[in-house]
Amino acid sequence: MKHDPSQFQELPSPLPEGERLIWRGRPTFKGLALRAFHIREVGIYFGLILVWRLWSNWSGASLGDAAVAASWIIVPAICAIAVLAGLAWAFRRATTYTITSRRILLQFGVALPMTLNIPLSKIEGAALKAYSDGSGDIPLKLNDSGRVSFLLLWPHVRPWQLRLSQPMLRAIPDASLVAAKLAEALSGLPGPSAVSMDFAGGQVANPASLSPITAAA
């Protein structure tokens, strides 16, 4: 998938001589909305409340009265889903992931733009979690003793890894292709050798030091 470079944020500085750009991209709106902001779960929650209100008002009132009483749930449900969708759109628009031959850059932040520069030498391992739409997450396990703030990085961080946070390329399109490019950058192998690595088990990157996670259907 080709992108117009103008749609991404500019790099903090020009790439040094000898460093080459391998891939640039941003999260998908659908991936962020469903898996970071949990729009589907919120919709189900309000749907269950709506059904409960209809059922509880059914015995003592007419169908019309029950429908009016239940309609009070619809407005906050629409507002909540709209807010979450807006946040997903804003976070996607403010995010750019970049992989070069020497580092990975995470540019993010809606109100306060930030850039996390991760040298490839600091990456101990990586993993791929793929989804049925072709998108996926690639968390990065760092060998640096310094801690990365979970709250500062969210949602560009592996879920539930609070003690040792792992930066993550989240909801990226064509995740298997990006994983192959990352494997090439980390291992120094030519492209075809990197692509032939076993993605079925969710593995990618340095074969000697991976932290795989199970690929999703």
Side-chain angles (χ1 to χ4, degrees):
M1 181 182 295
K2 294 183 178 180
H3 299 279
D4 180 1
S6 62
Q7 70 177 297
F8 302 123
Q9 302 180 48
E10 292 186 3
L11 294 173
S13 59
L15 294 179
E17 184 177 354
E19 183 176 1
R20 61 186 178 88
L21 180 66
I22 295 178
W23 176 84
R24 297 200 84 194
R26 57 171 35 128
T28 64
F29 170 78
K30 178 182 177 182
L32 282 182
L34 292 181
R35 299 191 290 273
F37 292 93
H38 303 288
I39 282 184
R40 178 166 45 203
E41 287 80 0
V42 171
I44 293 173
Y45 170 76
F46 279 106
L48 291 175
I49 294 180
L50 179 61
V51 171
W52 177 79
R53 287 293 299 270
L54 284 171
W55 178 260
S56 62
N57 286 279
W58 174 261
S59 58
S62 65
L63 178 61
D65 292 336
V68 170
S71 65
W72 288 98
I73 304 299
I74 296 177
V75 173
I78 293 175
C79 291
I81 292 174
V83 168
L84 293 175
L87 287 173
W89 177 84
F91 273 78
R92 177 188 181 274
R93 192 169 183 270
T95 301
T96 299
Y97 301 136
T98 303
I99 301 176
T100 77
S101 57
R102 295 181 182 175
R103 54 185 164 154
I104 295 177
L105 290 95
L106 280 66
Q107 296 171 274
F108 59 96
V110 176
L112 181 63
M114 292 175 284
T115 299
L116 179 63
N117 190 340
I118 307 174
L120 297 184
S121 60
K122 298 293 185 181
I123 299 176
E124 180 179 324
L128 168 65
K129 184 171 185 179
Y131 297 90
S132 57
D133 61 357
S135 67
D137 304 328
I138 301 180
L140 308 171
K141 183 179 180 181
L142 307 182
N143 57 23
D144 196 341
S145 58
R147 295 186 61 182
V148 181
S149 171
F150 184 94
L151 293 178
L152 189 65
L153 277 179
W154 192 90
H156 318 288
V157 64
R158 186 173 180 174
W160 309 114
Q161 296 290 322
L162 301 178
R163 190 173 65 87
L164 295 175
S165 303
Q166 297 181 14
M168 184 167 74
L169 309 184
R170 186 158 202 165
I172 54 176
D174 301 322
S176 294
L177 176 61
V178 178
K181 292 179 179 292
L182 177 58
E184 177 184 352
L186 287 170
S187 64
L189 297 175
S193 298
V195 173
S196 67
M197 296 173 66
D198 178 20
F199 292 106
Q203 298 184 4
V204 62
N206 186 349
S209 56
L210 290 180
S211 178
I213 50 181
T214 304

